[in-house]
Amino acid sequence: MIIVILLLTTVFAFPKYKQNLFVTKPDSLKKLAYQLSMASDLQVDVDQDQVCTWLKEYTLTTAQDAYYAKLASSFLEECQVDYNIDLPMIDQDDFESIYYNSLLNGQCPKLEYFITAGGAAKPQLKKQDDSYKTAAQVYHLATICNDNKVHEAIQEAIFNFQELYDGVSGVLDRDNSAAVTASLLYSFFTFSITNLHPQLQEILQNQIYQQTIINFLFQRTTVLGSIDEQYWITKLFQLTQVNSIIYPIFQDYYLVNKGKALINIKFVNFKGEKVQPTEVKAFINNENYTYTPIKSKEFSGYFEVSQVGSLPFELHFPNYVFKYTVKILHEIEIEEVMFDVVDSKTSKPNFHHSVENGEEYPAILNANEKSFLHVIIKTKKQVKSQVAIRLVHPKHPSATTQVFAEYDTKRKIYYGIIDFGDPDHVTPLNAIYQVELLLADSNVLPKRWSFLKIDTKFQAQTTFQNDNYYKLPQEIVHQFNQEQPEVPFLFVSFFVVIIVIAFVFFLRILSNLNLSFDKLPKDNSTIVYLFLALIIGLFVVLTLFWIKLNLIETVTVLGILSVPLVVVGNYALLALRKSEKLD
């Protein structure tokens, strides 16, 4: 059973390329030559007389200019352009100059001098702004030089291509590097690999076709990049090696029917044309599956599997491996839904109302705050999934509620109950509710089925605002505690002076008493010792005032301490007077 089919949009960007060919005079000789090459490959008609006039207007000063003039004139049948100019002496450390001189005159240098064993250009070369660009130029020369025999050093560089390959993979999303990547791919695709080492042949036949390269080609054909990129992309798609690459397209997910699922797949080329692969294998968790081709407009064929869930799916082609995650779901077949509305919790439902899969009960049932809705769901096969019964209000979405149905292992049914008198589950609103059955699970096809309508009549109906429209919440105004004002300096100083004066007066009084341990009464000395302890406590409080306590705390403690100090002090002084009279 097919649910959704992914449609392939045209990935070819050549219509964009065609629209931009010779709209106006190209601003450079290279752009003119590249547009002529693209027009030839894409079979676009060109006003050769006009283009020839433009070509003759350019001034040739370098080997690069001469090469592009030669390239452009090769596509113009009746346009004679003199590109034989006096060229300056070639700088052996300037590979770009060597590159264009080689393309112009067919003189092939020793390419191993310019490239490292890792695949990139050697760092001592002048004008080395982009190592990969120079490496791409070296590989391009390797495809046309030395009678199709590739230098051993170039073979070694390609064999150690991983450094460069990682670089290509890392710059696929950068527009300024796409032209270099396309140039590299074109060079590798056009190598005469029959003259290469067998291990190197294997690398070119396998690694180049990895999925990152395919994704790169798909991506870059959907945008209009620089003229360099357009040129190399166009040349790439003239190669049989590229046009023979096929790409699989899958459904969103697949359904299990009688224990089997068909993974329908469509193979297309880069033009979006449906093709049939000559050799393809599929693996899921290292288990091999056989491809079955079919005659269909939508698909090329299918793989039959029996597993369920999100599965790692690997397609093995002769030249590369394509990895994909397929989602295979069960479809729960519902045999019957039976239901009944009873007037109390103790009443037993008769279940004389029922519907089959997809049907809606023709009559509308009534319910109030004393009613209970009992629902039984029968399925052909028990599946571990979430089954819920939803009560949908026609106007207020927030008044919608749902309860989960539990599976009865003895009766092999799902059972759910909705209590209309429970305000935590059902909002008391008079309306005609839709009753829906919901099935959901990671390995199950989601199902939503409206099978019943219930008209509610509540005696005490709640008031409810319309929540169909979004309302901005009221602004929350925060109340911050205001900072307490500091106590005025003069106020503090006044109380400090008073405390100091009182303390000095206190010391003066003590000195007038002529106190000594010899004068302590022998029969009632406890009260005197307590009085002395309170005086020491007074000194401690005053000391803490200068170290730790504030004014309010000090006054509070002194006020509390003053009461026992006065009382005990009075008794202590009386005891001392009595002791003096006795002496």
Side-chain angles (χ1 to χ4, degrees):
M1 179 179 180
I2 301 171
I3 304 300
V4 177
I5 301 175
L6 291 179
L7 299 178
L8 177 70
T9 58
T10 302
V11 297
F12 235 44
F14 291 158
K16 294 183 180 179
Y17 289 11
K18 295 178 181 179
Q19 294 171 5
N20 287 271
L21 290 178
F22 299 115
V23 176
T24 58
K25 177 184 176 181
D27 54 9
S28 67
L29 187 56
K30 178 176 73 171
K31 189 172 183 180
L32 183 141
Y34 279 176
Q35 286 192 0
L36 278 173
S37 175
M38 294 163 55
S40 176
D41 292 334
L42 301 178
Q43 300 180 354
V44 176
D45 294 332
V46 175
D47 186 349
Q48 295 201 8
D49 293 336
Q50 178 63 64
V51 176
C52 182
T53 302
W54 289 341
L55 178 58
K56 293 179 180 180
E57 293 176 356
Y58 293 100
T59 303
L60 309 183
T61 58
T62 64
Q64 180 177 353
D65 296 335
Y67 166 69
Y68 287 128
K70 179 181 178 181
L71 178 63
S73 62
S74 65
F75 299 103
L76 301 174
E77 298 177 356
E78 300 179 357
C79 186
Q80 301 296 327
V81 178
D82 185 12
Y83 50 82
N84 295 315
I85 61 175
D86 294 332
L87 301 174
M89 185 177 296
I90 300 176
D91 186 351
Q92 293 299 321
D93 289 333
D94 182 1
F95 184 75
E96 189 170 35
S97 174
I98 297 173
Y99 174 68
Y100 285 109
N101 273 279
S102 299
L103 292 178
L104 179 63
N105 303 318
Q107 298 174 354
C108 297
K110 292 184 178 180
L111 299 176
E112 61 270 23
Y113 176 78
F114 304 100
I115 195 165
T116 66
K122 289 186 176 180
Q124 72 269 20
L125 297 179
K126 295 180 180 179
K127 299 182 180 179
Q128 194 55 51
D129 297 332
D130 192 338
S131 177
Y132 293 127
K133 178 180 179 181
T134 303
Q137 293 173 343
V138 173
Y139 291 131
H140 183 209
L141 287 183
T143 64
I144 59 178
C145 290
N146 306 304
D147 298 328
N148 290 329
K149 292 181 181 180
V150 183
H151 289 287
E152 292 182 1
I154 298 298
Q155 292 197 40
E156 181 182 2
I158 302 172
F159 191 75
N160 296 309
F161 180 61
Q162 196 59 44
E163 175 187 336
L164 186 60
Y165 186 79
D166 291 340
V168 170
S169 302
V171 299
L172 296 184
D173 295 331
R174 289 166 42 191
D175 292 343
N176 60 344
S177 301
V180 176
T181 305
S183 174
L184 285 167
L185 293 178
Y186 180 81
S187 298
F188 288 132
F189 283 140
T190 53
F191 266 129
S192 178
I193 64 174
T194 57
N195 297 328
L196 300 182
H197 189 278
Q199 290 183 337
L200 182 55
Q201 293 185 38
E202 183 179 355
I203 288 180
L204 292 177
Q205 290 173 339
N206 291 286
Q207 285 192 350
I208 278 300
Y209 285 92
Q210 292 195 27
Q211 191 170 342
T212 51
I213 301 301
I214 295 176
N215 289 341
F216 166 76
L217 293 175
F218 261 105
Q219 175 194 352
R220 300 315 304 178
T221 51
T222 58
V223 298
L224 187 64
S226 64
I227 186 61
D228 296 79
E229 179 188 344
Q230 296 178 47
Y231 171 75
W232 288 110
I233 289 290
T234 305
K235 290 181 69 65
L236 267 172
F237 277 93
Q238 306 310 310
L239 301 176
T240 305
Q241 298 96 315
V242 173
N243 287 322
S244 62
I245 297 177
I246 60 176
Y247 197 84
I249 298 177
F250 298 85
Q251 295 176 210
D252 278 344
Y253 50 80
Y254 313 87
L255 300 180
V256 174
N257 185 16
K258 297 181 180 180
K260 297 289 184 179
L262 299 183
I263 299 180
N264 296 311
I265 187 170
K266 180 180 181 180
F267 294 103
V268 297
N269 57 21
F270 280 99
K271 296 181 180 180
E273 301 169 341
K274 186 171 74 71
V275 296
Q276 199 66 260
T278 57
E279 182 181 353
V280 61
K281 295 180 180 179
F283 291 88
I284 300 178
N285 296 326
N286 296 324
E287 184 177 350
N288 188 9
Y289 291 88
T290 304
Y291 171 71
T292 303
I294 58 175
K295 293 182 178 180
S296 170
K297 294 182 179 180
E298 292 82 10
F299 300 108
S300 303
Y302 65 88
F303 295 91
E304 187 178 74
V305 301
S306 57
Q307 302 184 49
V308 177
S310 296
L311 306 175
F313 192 75
E314 292 186 1
L315 286 176
H316 289 240
F317 296 92
N319 294 319
Y320 74 101
V321 176
F322 182 88
K323 296 182 179 181
Y324 187 77
T325 300
V326 295
K327 192 173 184 180
I328 301 177
L329 305 177
H330 272 297
E331 184 178 19
I332 299 180
E333 296 186 25
I334 301 175
E335 292 183 340
E336 186 181 21
V337 175
M338 299 184 297
F339 48 90
D340 196 7
V341 177
V342 296
D343 295 332
S344 67
K345 188 175 182 180
T346 57
S347 301
K348 293 184 179 181
N350 296 320
F351 293 109
H352 54 272
H353 308 291
S354 65
V355 290
E356 295 182 354
N357 189 12
E359 295 180 348
E360 183 175 0
Y361 194 67
I364 299 177
L365 304 185
N366 297 319
N368 53 38
E369 61 271 6
K370 298 180 181 180
S371 302
F372 290 81
L373 172 64
H374 294 255
V375 180
I376 290 178
I377 302 104
K378 292 183 178 181
T379 59
K380 291 185 178 180
K381 184 178 180 181
Q382 179 191 3
V383 180
K384 293 182 179 180
S385 59
Q386 293 182 348
V387 179
I389 303 167
R390 175 180 290 179
L391 204 62
V392 182
H393 193 278
K395 188 176 180 181
H396 304 299
S398 58
T400 297
T401 185
Q402 71 179 32
V403 296
F404 288 96
E406 298 182 358
Y407 188 75
D408 189 338
T409 55
K410 293 183 179 180
R411 301 168 62 187
K412 296 182 179 181
I413 59 171
Y414 289 94
Y415 200 111
I417 302 176
I418 294 180
D419 181 4
F420 286 88
D422 186 357
D424 294 334
H425 287 86
V426 179
T427 304
L429 290 172
N430 294 337
I432 298 178
Y433 286 82
Q434 289 279 352
V435 184
E436 296 179 344
L437 177 63
L438 305 177
L439 290 90
D441 194 75
S442 58
N443 296 329
V444 171
L445 179 67
K447 184 181 290 290
R448 181 177 178 178
W449 169 24
S450 179
F451 64 92
L452 174 65
K453 291 181 180 179
I454 292 183
D455 188 3
T456 56
K457 301 293 182 181
F458 293 98
Q459 292 183 357
Q461 184 180 197
T462 186
T463 57
F464 205 86
Q465 293 183 351
N466 192 345
D467 58 358
N468 287 335
Y469 302 99
Y470 177 76
K471 297 180 180 179
L472 289 174
Q474 295 182 355
E475 182 181 1
I476 300 176
V477 180
H478 297 279
Q479 298 292 338
F480 297 98
N481 293 329
Q482 297 182 354
E483 295 184 359
Q484 296 294 335
E486 296 182 356
V487 181
F489 177 75
L490 294 178
F491 179 78
V492 176
S493 301
F494 173 75
F495 277 94
V496 170
V497 171
I498 290 178
I499 292 174
V500 171
I501 294 175
F503 182 67
V504 172
F505 179 72
F506 175 73
L507 294 178
R508 178 65 179 173
I509 294 175
L510 289 180
S511 64
N512 293 333
L513 295 176
N514 295 322
L515 297 177
S516 66
F517 286 98
D518 296 335
K519 295 182 179 181
L520 291 176
K522 297 180 181 179
D523 56 345
N524 194 13
S525 60
T526 303
I527 192 68
V528 178
Y529 286 117
L530 181 59
F531 177 60
L532 294 175
L534 291 173
I535 292 175
I536 295 172
L538 181 64
F539 278 102
V540 171
V541 173
L542 294 176
T543 304
L544 290 176
F545 168 69
W546 297 103
I547 298 174
K548 182 178 181 181
L549 300 178
N550 57 33
L551 179 63
I552 304 301
E553 293 172 340
T554 303
V555 172
T556 302
V557 175
L558 288 178
I560 297 173
L561 191 62
S562 64
V563 176
L565 188 62
V566 171
V567 176
V568 174
N570 186 36
Y571 280 106
L573 292 175
L574 290 175
L576 289 174
R577 289 179 181 178
K578 289 181 181 180
S579 177
E580 290 179 355
K581 291 179 179 181
L582 292 175
D583 293 339

